Amino acid sequence: MASDHLAGDTVPASKGSEDPAVRRVRDAVGRLADERVDHRFRGLPPDADGLTVGELAAQRRNLFTGGFTTPVLTLSAERLAHNLTLMETYAERHGLSFAPHGKTSMAPQLFARQLEHGAWGITLAVPHQVRVARAFGVPRVLLANEVVDAPALTWLAAELAADPGFRFICYVDSVRGVELMDAVLKEAVPPPGGTPRPVDVVVELAAGDGARTGARTEAECRAVADAVAAVGTLRLVGVAGYEGEVPNAEPDRVRDWLRRLTALLVDFDEAGLFGGSGLDEIVLSAGGSAWFDSVAQVFAELPGLSLPVRKLLRSGAYVSHDDGHYRHVTPFNRVPEEGALHPAFRLWAQVVSRPSPDQAFLNAGKRDAAYDLDLPEAQVVRAAGGSGATERPATAVAVEKLSDQHAWLRTGAQAGLRVGDWVGLGLSHPCTSFDKWALIPVTEADGTVTDYVRTFF
């Protein structure tokens, strides 16, 4: 197909804090500092009840001497900043736009910081999460799912009609889904003064037989695209998928599937499916947290199309990283010259029972720690004793299982654990860490608490 665009043309994202929409998000999340501290928030000092979050942050209390109770989950200020900057520069270096998957954190303050670090928008998984993002003014959202919930579609249509600056894209992977969306959107009534707009959609290609969502074949994808073209309530803007679901994933398999995805986009473009709909860009999206190096490689191979292409990476676990699953599969392990992500979470718990020399129990369990992929790992011990306490490595200490509110520790002769000691745990899988804690202290290396991150589940 003839094209006036160079191979690999991409659309740059608005640059962070220079974007007025990002400033509005920052202002909106600033209001979270006015929320009152009380019994809803675990781990916070009991004597802080009645203070606003902002007032408590301004006190810069120390985690270990400032009245915090255990268990308490913390985020490292330094590591969080490092991870945000690293992925910003990675996306820029590889010509990618970035819409990190916010279901990892569901924290509007982190959405704001990601947008300030150049993110095009935020990826989400379900309509409720979009409502949270919009409550804080997030201007661009990719919903990585098909939306067939009628009340959610009605709300979405009103949101799009009321705000011409709101960009929303979601998946479609079936003709039936297109029919359901169209039926609801036809009946949606715009708010007074609002202008109806079609919902932008990308066709999702499944990562293979037995994978999660997505149309399984290119022919099925084309049928979905044709169904979109036949209705006036939807607009086809591109294709998307998730390479993390490739069966028996390894680099060659992942790249082969990604090339199927880019070939599908080229086929749609050559068929004229993006013409005549007022589009100024085409969207190509993939990228979990395990294979974004392959995404960058294959997306760079894309030939020129009839419109510039927004190559949208969705990796979200990077923001906090982890001490388990993602530590082992991150692309930065395969390409170390690109940098390294740093685990930012630490869960602090106390030894509450030491019934034998080879066993101890902490007061944190399944309700406090992510455990769906890997058990927490004991990293450091802080002896009970106030301001003079020091940290040491958690030698000969291992978590062997979790109960609802207890971690079972197996201890060796060098453990030296005593009842009352604090143990710092590294956690696996950020998604299920964030969704257990509604307000998370952000700590500097010396334990000073500088901020609090509010999450919405």
Side-chain angles (χ1 to χ4, degrees), residues 101 103 106 123-132 141-147 152 168 457:
H101 213 315
K103 61 94 176 171
M106 281 308 297
T123 298
L124 297 165
V126 293
H128 165 71
Q129 294 171 350
V130 182
R131 291 188 63 200
V132 172
V141 171
L142 172 63
L143 179 61
N145 251 328
E146 190 168 74
V147 184
F168 176 86
F457 309 141

Side-chain angles (χ1 to χ4, degrees), residues 8-261:
D9 268 5
T10 59
V11 184
S14 298
K15 181 63 177 176
S17 57
E18 300 172 8
D19 187 341
V22 176
R23 292 198 293 271
R24 289 192 291 272
V25 176
R26 186 169 59 241
D27 291 342
V29 300
R31 294 193 289 273
L32 289 169
D34 298 330
E35 192 166 12
R36 295 285 173 183
V37 172
D38 58 25
H39 61 276
R40 293 170 297 162
F41 305 123
R42 293 186 288 165
L44 300 192
D47 67 351
D49 278 10
L51 296 176
T52 67
V53 173
E55 290 168 344
L56 180 57
Q59 292 181 357
R60 294 178 63 86
R61 296 195 187 195
N62 186 275
L63 182 73
F64 308 106
T65 61
F68 290 84
T69 65
T70 57
V72 57
L73 181 68
T74 64
L75 268 172
S76 162
E78 296 89 350
R79 292 183 170 205
L80 186 62
H82 167 85
N83 292 344
L84 288 163
T85 300
L86 181 66
M87 285 302 289
E88 176 185 17
T89 57
Y90 182 88
E92 289 178 349
R93 186 160 58 246
H94 291 280
L96 301 168
S97 291
F98 193 28
H101 213 315
K103 61 94 176 171
T104 301
S105 61
M106 281 308 297
Q109 289 150 284
L110 297 184
F111 294 170
R113 293 189 65 177
Q114 289 168 319
L115 293 169
E116 289 170 348
H117 280 268
W120 170 87
I122 301 296
T123 298
L124 297 165
V126 293
H128 165 71
Q129 294 171 350
V130 182
R131 291 188 63 200
V132 172
R134 289 299 291 162
F136 291 90
V138 172
R140 291 172 287 274
V141 171
L142 172 63
L143 179 61
N145 251 328
E146 190 168 74
V147 184
V148 293
D149 182 289
L153 284 167
T154 300
W155 170 83
L156 175 62
E159 193 78 0
L160 287 167
D163 184 357
F166 175 36
R167 181 79 196 278
F168 176 86
I169 304 169
C170 71
Y171 285 7
V172 287
D173 76 350
S174 67
V175 172
R176 169 67 171 164
V178 170
E179 292 170 348
L180 290 171
M181 294 178 75
D182 180 54
V184 173
L185 293 171
K186 280 179 178 176
E187 301 300 320
V189 178
T195 302
R197 285 198 281 153
V199 173
D200 286 348
V201 297
V202 289
V203 173
E204 183 190 9
L205 173 67
D209 291 337
R212 200 160 60 188
T213 55
R216 266 28 185 182
T217 67
E218 283 76 359
E220 290 173 329
C221 286
R222 178 58 189 267
V224 174
D226 289 342
V228 171
V231 302
T233 56
L234 305 176
R235 182 174 69 162
L236 182 67
V237 300
V239 301
Y242 175 45
E243 74 290 340
E245 284 288 312
V246 170
N248 303 310
E250 49 84 25
D252 287 341
R253 280 178 173 271
V254 169
R255 286 191 290 266
D256 286 347
W257 178 82
L258 286 164
R259 291 187 178 106
R260 283 183 61 200
L261 184 69

